[in-house]
Structure formats: structure tokens, C-alpha cells
Amino acid sequence: MKTLDWNTLFGERARRIQASTIRELLKLTQRPGVLSFAGGLPAPELFPKEEAAAKAAEILRQKGEVALQYGPTEGYFPLRAWVAEWLGVSPEEVLITTGSQQALDLLGKVFLDEGSPVLLEAPSYMGAIQAFRAYGPRFLTVPAGEEGPDLKALEEALNQEYPRFLYLIPSFQNPSGGLMPLEARRRLLEMAMERGLVVVEDDAYRELYFGESRLPSLFELAREAGYPGVIYLSSFSKVLAPGLRVAFVVARPEVILKFTQAKQGVDLHTPVLNQILVHELVKEGFPERLDRIRTTYKAKAQAMLEALDREMPKEVAYTRPKGGMFVWMTLPEGLSAEALFRQALEENVAFVPGGPFFANGGGENTLRLSYATMDRERIQEGIRRLGKAVKGLLATA
């Protein structure tokens, strides 16, 4: 019998698919005693466990034949209608997806060919880079910081090449935590409208603001201006529970149709039981739930910033988030976040090195910290340990 060499049988697209760096690093952080700032995971104490259990049982009793049956690819209509009302659009402009990660893959399927230019922030969400890379695009990048992408660099990039789309996270970006100011949003939208550019706005953290109110999304500003070119992604993962894998795309009906056709070849539809459960959980008491979530994350962020101010040497810079789940740290030039990661593990603390968030390389001296999953005491102890590791690395540089 001939021996099979599977690596020679995979297609070109499969060869581009690589394991997520975050997932591989998380394996190293599972040992007992490690305080991990690595995963971008929501706070488990905020999951509606008891409420979900009661509602799931009720759904199965009353709507079991619907909940356990195949459903329409576009999604459970009452949930689509709720999202549509929430965002001020029509249900025909809403597609329910199996997590935002599926929406990112559908973007690649629908818009990208081999060698297609796609424009990203640097840094950008690692999951988006991973999803798009499978389709063989050319990544164009512009620097991004605490106030979003550098608009001058963005304009220069757009003057040189017309990308299939611009993907960005204007509110509490993953990984940087950056928040794009209102005037910058308006200017970016003007650039898009002048060029007929498709903008993909990933707004998974939209409700996790620490101030009095939420900035309008690019999508909302585009609708006010009559511009149809913003595709909007968001999710229930950060405001309910990520294990439900329920998210949504909002776009013009012709875009939703093409995404729906692509989704049919992937999973037919997002699990109906999960969609009904999400609808039951959000249709009453949702604003109060969001208030609790914002209060919790604001306190955790403050705990981390207090500890960073106390423990970090002056050579280290870090952001001061106005919402979301992340702090972005920059080490002095020439220092390696991966080297710090190894040293930090010796102190039983973990984070994510920043390099994989840069589609075209770079960011070796950056790292992401998430404050979402630990309480105040553990956050501050973890930062104390990290500060010790940073000081040790600086001493040997």
C-alpha cells in the first residue's frame, strides 16, 4: 500500500492556514498558578447562566420543533428584526452569522481573489488577518494608535492603490484599545465617499464604553450621509456569551444576498436554538445588562491602570482605554515582547506578544493585556509580576 503524504495533497489555500498564535500561546498559560492577561475573553461572571438555563428550557418546551429544526440561512427572523430595530435598518439588511469570525471569512470569500489588495490598520485584529490570509490577498497597512488609524497615511495609501475594502475597528480596537474620535470618523468617511471605497466596520466592542455615551459608528454616519458603502459587523459575544456564537452583518440587500449564498455552502445556518435564546435574552432588560457590563469593565480597567502606573518603569508606554477590554503596551525599541513573554511565564503571568497583530510584520516590542477575566486583586498581582519581568528584561538589555 502506498504511503500518503498529506502535506503534498492539501490545496494552496490550506497551506496558507496556520494556527492562531494566540491559541498556541494560551496552551502555555493553562498551567496552575498562571495569571493570564492573554485571552480576549469576556468576564465569565457576567454570563447570564441562570437566565439562559431557564429560557433554554422554556424554548425547548414551547418552540422545540422550531429550535431543533433546520432554519433559514439569513437567520431567525425575530432576532433579525430585533437587530434591525436596534440599528435602524430593515431586516433584509441583516444576516445572522456563526460568530463574527464567520463574517470575516465570508468577506474573504465574497471580495478577495488571489493578490487582491486589502487595507488594514497596523496593528489589527489577528482573527481578521488569519481569515483574510487564506484567500491570498496583498495586505496594505497604515499605522494606528489610541485615536485610530493615521488619516494622513491612510489618504496616501488610498491615493496609491484602490483596495477591495478597508477593514477597521474604530471603537476600542482589538488589540490597541484605540477609540477613533468623531471628527476622524467623519474625515475617514469623506475619503471613502470620494473614492467609492468599501469600509468594513467591526464593532464588536461598541457597547463597552466607559463614558456617558457611545460615539456614532461609521455605519450610522454613512447612513446619515446616504452612503451605502459601509459593511457593519457586530456580535453578541461580548454582551451575552461567546459560546453561543451568534453575530451579525448589516449591509445593503445585494451584499447580504451574496453573503447568504456564501454562508449556505459553509454551515447552512447558525444554530436556531442559539438564535432564539439570544433573542429571548435581549428583548427585555438589555440596557440594564449593558450598564452592568460597562461598570464591571471600567472597574477592571482602572485596577489595571493603577497597577501599571505603580509597577512599570518609565521607559514603558501603555494606552489608557476609554472602553473595551484591552491595554496596549510598547517596550523600548530593540526589546522583544516574545522574550518578555518567556520571562513573564517564569513569574507565572502571561500576555499576548504584539507581532502577530501586524499583517506585514513589525510590532516586535508591543504586547496586549486584557483585564476582562480577573478580579481587582488578581489584576494587580499579575501586573506586579509583569513589572518584575519587565524590569528584569530591561536590566539585561
Side-chain angles (χ1 to χ4, degrees):
M1 184 182 350
K2 184 175 180 179
T3 301
L4 293 178
D5 182 354
W6 289 105
N7 288 324
T8 66
L9 300 174
F10 295 144
E12 182 59 34
R13 184 168 295 160
R15 295 188 183 100
R16 297 192 193 107
I17 299 172
Q18 299 176 353
S20 163
T21 301
I22 287 182
R23 296 286 177 254
E24 294 303 306
L25 288 175
L26 284 175
K27 294 177 184 177
L28 301 176
T29 68
Q30 298 305 305
R31 69 189 191 203
V34 173
L35 297 178
S36 179
F37 300 120
L41 310 176
E45 69 268 25
L46 294 172
F47 295 164
K49 297 184 285 292
E50 298 302 321
E51 188 180 356
K55 288 189 178 296
E58 182 181 350
I59 290 166
L60 289 170
R61 283 194 303 268
Q62 297 183 0
K63 302 179 182 179
E65 291 185 1
V66 175
L68 299 178
Q69 185 58 277
Y70 288 114
T73 304
E74 293 87 348
Y76 178 60
F77 186 80
L79 180 59
R80 292 172 65 210
W82 185 92
V83 171
E85 183 177 0
W86 189 33
L87 298 179
V89 299
S90 69
E92 289 70 30
E93 295 175 287
V94 178
L95 170 69
I96 303 299
T97 61
T98 308
S100 279
Q101 196 63 33
Q102 181 180 69
L104 295 171
D105 182 66
L106 294 176
L107 275 165
K109 279 184 168 65
V110 168
F111 282 99
L112 298 180
D113 300 313
E114 186 76 29
S116 297
V118 58
L119 185 56
L120 307 177
E121 300 167 286
S124 186
Y125 173 48
M126 188 190 305
I129 297 170
Q130 188 179 25
F132 301 154
R133 180 164 279 142
Y135 297 95
R138 288 186 296 111
F139 289 117
L140 314 174
T141 61
V142 294
E146 280 198 82
E147 296 194 342
D150 182 324
L151 294 186
K152 183 177 179 181
L154 177 61
E155 187 165 28
E156 290 173 356
L158 292 174
N159 287 340
Q160 293 176 18
E161 192 158 11
Y162 180 81
R164 291 291 176 89
F165 58 80
L166 163 64
Y167 169 83
L168 75 168
I169 308 172
S171 296
F172 320 123
Q173 197 231 33
N174 182 359
S176 72
L179 175 64
M180 195 174 185
L182 180 56
E183 283 308 309
R185 293 173 189 236
R186 289 183 170 140
R187 177 60 192 133
L188 186 148
L189 185 59
E190 287 174 4
M191 284 191 270
M193 294 170 65
E194 289 167 3
R195 296 165 173 80
L197 174 68
V198 173
V199 177
V200 177
E201 180 179 19
D202 190 340
D203 210 12
Y205 306 93
R206 63 172 273 150
E207 295 295 344
L208 306 187
Y209 54 87
F210 299 156
E212 293 299 315
S213 62
R214 178 182 63 82
L215 285 178
S217 65
L218 288 171
F219 178 79
E220 290 166 328
L221 294 173
R223 285 299 172 104
E224 289 176 8
Y227 183 60
V230 177
I231 298 173
Y232 186 81
L233 316 181
S234 196
S235 170
F236 293 102
S237 290
K238 308 303 184 295
V239 294
L240 287 179
L244 293 173
R245 310 308 301 134
V246 177
F248 52 90
V249 179
V250 181
R252 297 294 298 169
E254 53 267 41
V255 177
I256 292 298
L257 174 61
K258 190 54 64 176
F259 274 46
T260 301
Q261 292 168 344
K263 180 175 166 64
Q264 285 170 348
V266 177
D267 65 355
L268 297 182
H269 62 83
T270 298
V272 180
L273 173 60
N274 295 23
Q275 294 184 69
I276 298 176
L277 178 56
V278 166
H279 182 241
E280 292 296 321
L281 289 169
V282 299
K283 69 182 186 181
E284 295 179 0
F286 194 50
E288 293 78 14
R289 184 189 305 280
L290 294 178
D291 285 343
R292 289 195 300 274
I293 292 171
R294 286 191 283 266
T295 299
T296 298
Y297 285 142
K298 183 177 181 179
K300 289 172 182 276
Q302 187 59 42
M304 178 172 280
L305 291 172
E306 289 173 3
L308 288 168
D309 290 344
R310 184 172 60 249
E311 302 292 344
M312 288 298 147
K314 65 181 186 304
E315 297 92 336
V316 174
Y318 44 88
T319 58
R320 307 191 79 85
K322 298 176 181 178
M325 297 165 54
F326 307 110
V327 169
W328 184 247
M329 182 179 289
T330 304
L331 304 173
E333 284 293 334
L335 292 188
S336 164
E338 290 197 8
L340 177 61
F341 178 81
R342 292 189 290 271
Q343 197 151 334
L345 276 184
E346 295 179 7
E347 302 293 336
N348 279 332
V349 65
F351 57 84
V352 178
F357 295 100
F358 291 77
N360 290 328
E364 291 84 1
N365 65 325
T366 61
L367 56 118
R368 189 192 75 180
L369 303 169
S370 174
Y371 43 78
T373 58
M374 290 192 281
D375 60 25
R376 179 183 183 87
E377 289 70 26
R378 295 171 72 218
I379 288 170
Q380 298 209 334
E381 172 59 19
I383 295 300
R384 185 195 66 77
R385 297 180 190 182
L386 181 60
K388 182 178 178 183
V390 168
K391 290 165 189 172
L393 185 66
L394 286 170
T396 60

